[in-house]
Amino acid sequence: MRIRVRGAVPSSRSVHRIAFLHEGRNPGEGAPDAARAAIAKAAAAGGFRGREKEIGGALTSGGGWTLVGLGKPPAPLGRLRRAIRRAVRDALAHSGRRLVLVFGSGIDPASFMALLPQLALADYAFHRYKSRKAPRDGAADAVIVPPPGVSVTEASRQAKRAAVIAESAAATGLSATGVTLMVTVAVKLFWALRFAPAQNVPLPV
C-alpha cells in the first residue's frame, strides 16, 4: 500500500477515514489538531468511548469516520498491529482503495514508526506462484496522520524506508505471516541499532 504521512486530513469525500483512539470519556480529545473537532463530533454522535475492539462510525459534515478503540493507554504494539490489520482489511474489502488513517495520542514515536512497514504491506496478497501475484497497479493508497508529539517530517522519512522494506518483503513471495515476521525482525533491528549507545564492539565477520 502506498503510504504518505501528512499533517492534515484530505477534504475529499471519496476517501475512507479511520481513526485509532485510546479509551476515554472523550476519545476525540486525543486526536491530532487537524482532525480533533471532526473526530470528537463523530465519537459523541455514536457514544464511542475507545474501548478495546470497539468499532464506531458516524457521518459528519466533513465526511464519514470509522472509529477503532485501542483500550486503555498505552496500547502495546501487538494490540495496535491487530487493530490496524482488522480495520484496514475491512476498509479495503468494502470501501475502495483510498484511505486516511489518523492516530490519536498515547502512541509513542518509536511504536508509531514501527507500525509503518505493516501499513505499507496492508494490501499485500500472497499467491503460491510469483506469476500469479497481484499487480502493484491496484495498490491501495493511504494518507497517514501521526499522533500528537510525532514529527511529520521524521515520520515521512521513515515511511519512505518502510516502503523499501515492504517492497523487499513482498518480492520474496512469502506468505503473509512470513512477510509480517520478516518485517517485524527488520524493524526491531533498525530501532535497536538506532537507539543503542555507541560502543566499540567489533561486528561479526
Side-chain angles (χ1 to χ4, degrees):
M1 180 163 72
R2 290 183 291 266
I3 58 175
R4 294 170 292 143
V5 178
R6 297 289 186 269
V9 177
S11 58
S12 173
R13 287 179 172 270
S14 63
V15 297
H16 187 113
R17 299 172 180 82
I18 306 173
F20 298 89
L21 306 167
H22 281 102
E23 185 174 351
R25 293 184 62 182
N26 184 2
E29 291 181 351
D33 291 342
R36 184 171 299 148
I39 291 176
K41 185 176 181 180
F48 179 81
R49 290 293 180 268
R51 292 182 291 271
E52 185 177 355
K53 297 184 180 180
E54 180 183 4
I55 303 294
L59 183 64
T60 68
S61 58
W65 283 91
T66 296
L67 308 178
V68 179
L70 300 175
K72 297 290 185 181
L77 193 55
R79 189 192 303 167
L80 291 170
R81 292 186 189 280
R82 290 190 295 273
I84 291 170
R85 184 167 55 247
R86 286 192 299 265
V88 172
R89 179 189 61 203
D90 291 345
L92 293 178
H94 301 105
S95 304
R97 305 186 70 78
R98 297 184 61 200
L99 309 178
V100 175
L101 309 178
V102 179
F103 293 85
S105 61
I107 303 174
D108 63 85
S111 295
F112 177 74
M113 301 303 182
L115 294 170
L116 293 175
Q118 177 185 344
L119 290 167
L121 278 164
D123 62 343
Y124 176 76
F126 170 67
H127 296 269
R128 186 170 298 277
Y129 302 103
K130 290 187 178 181
S131 61
R132 297 173 56 199
K133 284 180 66 177
R136 294 295 295 172
D137 292 344
D141 182 89
V143 170
I144 300 171
V145 181
V150 173
S151 165
V152 172
T153 301
E154 178 62 20
S156 297
R157 188 178 298 116
Q158 296 302 330
K160 293 177 181 178
R161 294 175 178 172
V164 173
I165 294 174
E167 288 290 344
S168 300
T172 63
L174 292 172
S175 67
T177 301
V179 165
T180 299
L181 178 60
M182 176 181 175
V183 169
T184 299
V185 172
V187 170
K188 286 183 177 180
L189 178 60
F190 171 79
W191 285 102
L193 293 174
R194 181 183 176 91
F195 291 110
Q199 296 179 354
N200 295 322
V201 179
L203 294 175
V205 179

